Amino acid sequence: MEPHPNITVKHTEAESSSDSDSEYDAAQRPQHITDRRRVQNARFSAWLSTRVEKITKEEVKETLQDADDEVLSIRNLMAKQGSKQIITNPREYQLELFERAKRQNTIAVLDTGMLLCSGKTLIAVLLLKYILDKELEDRAMGKPPRIAFFLVDSVTLVYQQFTVLECNLDQTIDRFCGEMNTDLWGKDKWDHHFKDNRAIVCTAEVLYQCLMHSFITIKQINLLIFDEAHHAKKNHAYARIIKDFYLAEKELSQRPIIFGMTASPVDAKVDVVQAAKELETLLHSTIATTADLSLLQTAVSRPVEKIADYDRLLPPYKTVLCAKIEELYGDMESMSRLIRFATEATSELGEWCADHVWSFGLADEEANKLEGKVERAFNALKVDRPVQILDNELNRVRGAKQIVKDHTFPPPCFAGNSLSSKVIRLLDYLNGIFERPTDARCIVFTKQRYTARLLGELCRRIGTPHLRIGVLIGTRTGDAGDAKLTVRQQFITIMKFRKGELNCLFATSVAEEGLDIPDCNTVIRFDLYDTIIQYIQSRGRARHKNSRYLHMIERGNRQHLEILKHVRNGEQVLRNFCEALPADRLLQGYDWNIEDALSKEQTHRVYVEKSTGARLNYGCSLSVLAHFVGCLPHDNETVLSTTYVMSMERKQYVCEVLLPENSPVRSVSGRPCSNKAVAKRSAAFEACLCLRGAGYLDANLLPVYHKQLPAMRNAHLALNLKKTNAYNMRTKPSVWEKTRGSRPEALFVTILTLTDPENVLRPCQPLALLTRTSLPGIPSFPLYPQPGKKCEVICTLLCRKLSPSPAILASLTSFTLRIYKDIFNKVYEVNESQMSYWLAPVINSQLGKNQDIQPDLLIDWSIVNIVHNNEEIPWTIDTPHDQLENRYLVDRWDGGRRFFSDRVIPDLKPLDPLPEGCAAHKYMNNILDYTVSLFSKSRARATWRHDQPVFLAYRVLHRRNLLDDIDNADKESKTLSYLCPEPLRFSALPATVAATGYLFPAIIWRIEAYLIAIEACESLGLRVTPSLALEAFTKDSDNTEEHRSEQIHVQRGMGKNYERLEFIGDSFLKMATTISLYAKNPVDDEFESHVKRMLMICNKNLFGTATKLKVYEFIRSQGFSRRTWYPEGIKLLEGKGWNKTGNEVITHKLDDKTIADVCEAVIGASLLSYDTLDVPRNMDVAVKAVTALVSNDDHTAESWDDYRELYKIPAYQLAESTAAQTDLAVQVEKKYDYHFDYPRLLRSAFTHPSYPFSWEKIPCYQRLEFLGDALLDMICVKYLFYKYPNRDPQWLTEHKMAMVSNKFLGALCVKLKFHKHLKLQSQMAMSQISAYVTEITEAELESKGIRDYWTTTKNPPKCLPDIVEAYLGAIFVDSGFDYREVERFFNQNVAWFFEDMSIYDTFANAHPVTHLNNLLTLNLGCQNYRVMSGSLPSFNGEPERVVAAVMIHDHIIADGIAASGKYAKLKAAKEALQLLQGLAPFEYRLQYRCDCKEQEDVEGQSGEIEGIDSAI
């Protein structure tokens, strides 16, 4: 099956072919692994194509139903409620209004409850369907496309109405509101939305802005639906759309149809008929209701209205608490509102509620608001005053807060004045309703947010157990001490009310209009309504059968009775008005003329941009100018604002607008006007014209300065893991070539010795490696000359040089070339000037630890001279038998046959049969026959002495790779031989030298690898320890970076690969770039810094830099090969490859990510070369490595001190500290012994983003948290790296996650009591913090010293771990970038928790993917599995999703769908775990046809076990 065209397939493993060139025979994994993966990829693609066809929108909705409300978007919260299918069979009155709306502009006014929820929206849906069908016909006729708009008055209603319309329209529809940052969108984006959608639900302000900027024109709209149309008055966006754009279109046929919906045309205390006529005139519509009003009585259940009277209230007075606060702080303006409300509450609510006004109003968040108000007032004065005055005012607020904190609040009771008669009456009624379990729902309406919150808290304390309280208040920001809800919180509250999790809401007017609140059994007006529409709409909430609507009225209160009479009379007037309409529902004439309404604005200037049609008038000029100012470039410490200065000229107002200093236009004056409001708009209008004329506003009246996110915010910074390229690979260090070409005057001597030489099997003699230049300190490395036997190669560079004479150089050359010839069957041309190095035997007895010895004294010149003067040692029949012992012999005709002789066997003769157990040979008739390797014809002509002796010998096996332990194939090879001396050549090389000579290829290969790696580092300007340099450049398999996957094409004996260095290098890279960005860019916010950092540390950038530097040439991706170790420069005369011309170019295939990973490994090597666990000696080289490899202007440091030099202390940090800020430093120092030189820097670490900057002129903690996060990551990585030297990076990463997790840092924050100092403006966050502190404190007490107690609690609020990281960043900056302070903090506060990381294995294993890996590999012994992922096409605007699958032995057993690959794999792993957990290994093998154990057994017999390296 071909893959689906819209599917992008990604695989978790690299798909590259072997890195090794086919000619080279380094030990590799079988090719079948790559073939198997190719088959698996094809099967996954086929499965994915089939899976796409089965994935439907219903599955997405099922996923939403299972999701936690707290993590869903508002749109998904709405979708989760259900299909929202409206009435399938419209009622007669709905069809009647629909038919009327088709013919003419209509305002539907229906009786109580009918316009709420589905009643009104059904009519709108019917009209929309009609208009959209007509639009399709118009487009088919070639008419220009038009679009419908459903306009609402609040963000909440945008989501609510969109959800309903989306489920009932078969055309594309979308929703927009200001919270989606629509003010940042340009014409192109809006054109895209208008093109893709047939209808749009949005706030009226969004459409107004689009019309004003000419993103759309009124003639491009076919239908305007005004929800809650009674808002269309004065300067409301509804009215402005009509006045500025609808009426401006003179061609009536080009105007859209208007349909308005309201329960009443009146929302104020005005004449009902007059208000109705004005609404009709403004909306150019006619009010209509159903022709038969009796239909409404059957369509909706009307509540029974009752009066709940209560005793006369006491006059307001001050409680003891309020009086005390007023006495001490009554002169403070910030306290006046609280004092006033607390006083009024004694009458309306009672003393208990009145006192709790203070516990609400001076809670931590609200007290912060008051402090901010005080500071804003202080800063607003344009005179310099001592900061101590501000400190005094702030201390007074804190003093009031402390009084409330120390006050003892008695419990509420029904006796005395604790509760008012009004509250007692309410409680009696509620307790009666909820006396027993019930499905009843109730809403209690109040005027003020405080009242709703206080009553809710009271009922929670003394209400019945069946009363489940919720509070529903507005989203707009209130005054100091006034709480609010977010749109999300509103939705969640309503959802809980709908589900029955809450059954009683205390609500302000926000619950009256529009929100889709379920039918209630009881609605109580605790505070009476002010207008008819409030009465009608709140009553409409009681739509349940047998519902009740209670008016709470004070006995004898004539004002209350007048209010009730007024709304009832007003409703009757409205009803009479509707009933009096003519039969065709048309008004006979307008008493209110639209021209009269517009006459006041006729003197206001209007500017229309000819090229686009964008329209600027007095009404919109303020927002256009504010948008321009907000887009001016500025730093975080600057608050941009406009200042309007008013003056009088000839009894008229003239306003001057002053723009910020960085504005290209500084000030503009408006025209004289009769009132201040118009004068202000006139000034803004003139300023906009000036900016447009100068080109600072574009043709759509948008600023040319764009408030935009960084250009690379959506950049694709990742690399294609499957992409590989062939690159040249260096096999020889350039130092050889650079020094060749002349006879050396001096040679540097490196002695090659072995530890445990007895493990070589034969006695061996050290060799000296003589080079033209001094070699760096080569670290020791292992060789494996025998099965399971290891010895270390020690390379010792002598201090003194050897100055060879021509004769000595000639003898050394002869000795070196003889080793090549006799041992490796290679004959080279004698050319001393082209020799890269020489070899010489070393006298064992002269070896010692003294490196300052003359090389002449170490070299065994006797052996050198014998070899130089003798091609071979001749044998005759007279040669003594003892001279045949311990010799190195070479077959004259078969270069592959070489032997070490042992002793003469007197009992055997040349023609005796060959004894059993000898190594195989093609001729084995007798001993002499076995010795000779001539071909048949030559054998027939040759004659040999039959009286020559027979000796025992051992054939030399040509091990391919002594750097790796001998495999079983070599173990089982036979070497025993019985030979005759005459056919053989006795080498002049002593057997001890030959034994060492056989080790030399592996030795020189590893030395050259070190030299190449060192050369790579030097090319970057880095001095790195040779062992770490080689480790950084070693890639020993195709998928080295996949730590738990089956390794492909493993190159044996290469030593450590780069993966651990890459792990620590990645962390240092993150830290170094973070420090640089923090130091160099003081005005960048955390997000901008994050993007800049990503541009530096992303694999794409590292790969690009490495490619330019040709880093790929130095990467060691191929293991030892017999064909690449030979010296270059001298000409090969005989031996394999003699006829090749020129140096062979070796290439290797590398994927892009490998090259990027090596860059990080080089950084890690640069760090560890000069760093230890306890003392960071020097990080300068690592800093230099970062600069070299990121190649970015944002990181130019060459040493650690450069960071300090880059950092210019910002003004806020240097400013004088207030007493409160100094006190904070003192308090925090008691918890952790670090003294801050800059208390304001510490304050920044504890300032939440919600806390206004203007209050203390200190930025929030986000930049410090960004810095501290990187510092913490580095110190944790370093701790694990040194503590667990044999753990793979995946294990280290998994366990690091425990150390840097929000869960641990939140617990640490509480342990250090940092949470007490957090400055924030979020009541929800404060309550979450309080709940978490209680939980974590109890967990620690119950743990009795157990260090992982924090893992048992819920996740903390995000701000708690943030301030720990911010504090760490703060001490780092305050200490002058002293990393030792970071380590000290870690050692004192963090390390104790993680001394035993095994207790966090469960924490690491909690991740389903890790758990699945461990289950399969460790418990079930399976290696043939993969977790794969692929992208899915989106459905009808749904976000793109990813599907992941678990494949076991080429069969998919589980899958999961999510918004990203990470979470899709998590779901797939969870599903797989449910299937696999509990299976015994034999059951698993049987069920899933797993043969991994059988293969392992077979491979174990051959000596090579393929498996996944897992340290867990």
Side-chain angles (χ1 to χ4, degrees), residues 442-470:
C442 172
I443 298 180
V444 180
F445 282 101
T446 68
K447 284 185 179 180
Q448 300 194 59
R449 296 177 182 180
Y450 263 134
T451 306
R453 295 174 65 200
L454 288 166
L455 291 176
E457 182 62 28
L458 176 65
C459 289
R460 289 189 186 98
R461 299 195 183 200
I462 62 174
T464 74
H466 309 296
L467 191 61
R468 299 183 292 276
I469 301 299

Side-chain angles (χ1 to χ4, degrees), residues 1347-1386:
R1347 305 187 186 194
D1348 63 342
Y1349 68 88
W1350 54 270
T1351 62
T1352 63
T1353 65
K1354 65 183 179 183
N1355 288 325
K1358 179 66 167 56
C1359 56
L1360 297 186
D1362 283 350
I1363 59 176
V1364 173
E1365 293 173 333
Y1367 176 77
L1368 192 60
I1371 60 175
F1372 178 73
V1373 175
D1374 188 82
S1375 63
F1377 290 50
D1378 189 347
Y1379 187 74
R1380 290 172 299 181
E1381 287 296 339
V1382 177
E1383 293 187 311
R1384 188 168 74 89
F1385 178 86
F1386 176 87

Side-chain angles (χ1 to χ4, degrees), residues 13 97 102 104 126 164-165 184 422 442 467 623 648 694 736 787 797 812 885 929 983 1021 1081 1274 1329 1425 1503:
E13 293 87 5
L97 288 172
K102 286 164 54 177
Q104 63 190 59
L126 294 174
V164 176
L165 295 181
L184 303 183
K422 185 177 183 181
C442 172
L467 191 61
S623 63
M648 292 290 293
W736 297 154
L797 178 67
L812 290 173
E885 296 177 359
D929 188 51
N1081 301 285
M1274 181 69 233
I1329 290 171
Y1425 73 93

Side-chain angles (χ1 to χ4, degrees), residues 722-843:
K722 297 183 288 185
K723 182 181 178 182
T724 61
N725 289 300
Y727 300 95
N728 290 344
M729 182 181 74
R730 296 197 184 194
T731 57
K732 299 294 178 184
S734 60
V735 65
W736 297 154
E737 183 179 2
K738 290 178 181 179
T739 56
R740 290 198 301 260
S742 63
R743 179 185 174 281
E745 297 297 327
L747 295 175
F748 295 85
V749 182
T750 301
I751 305 301
L752 308 177
T753 57
L754 301 175
T755 63
D756 303 312
E758 63 277 7
N759 288 339
V760 181
L761 188 62
R762 300 194 61 81
C764 56
Q765 186 170 352
L767 290 177
L769 177 66
L770 297 93
T771 57
R772 297 170 182 265
T773 59
S774 177
L775 296 183
I778 303 297
S780 62
F781 53 90
L783 293 181
Y784 300 89
Q786 289 192 74
K789 301 289 186 178
K790 181 179 78 169
C791 57
E792 294 282 331
V793 177
I794 309 298
C795 303
T796 306
L797 178 67
L798 299 185
C799 299
R800 303 191 183 190
K801 296 179 284 188
L802 175 69
S803 299
S805 65
I808 289 177
L809 189 62
S811 62
L812 290 173
T813 301
S814 296
F815 179 83
T816 304
L817 297 181
R818 187 65 53 79
I819 286 180
Y820 296 151
K821 177 182 178 182
D822 287 1
I823 299 178
F824 305 110
N825 199 30
K826 301 283 188 182
V827 178
Y828 286 94
E829 177 185 35
V830 179
N831 187 346
E832 296 170 353
S833 65
Q834 291 300 316
M835 292 281 286
S836 299
Y837 50 80
W838 289 261
L839 296 173
V842 174
I843 303 172

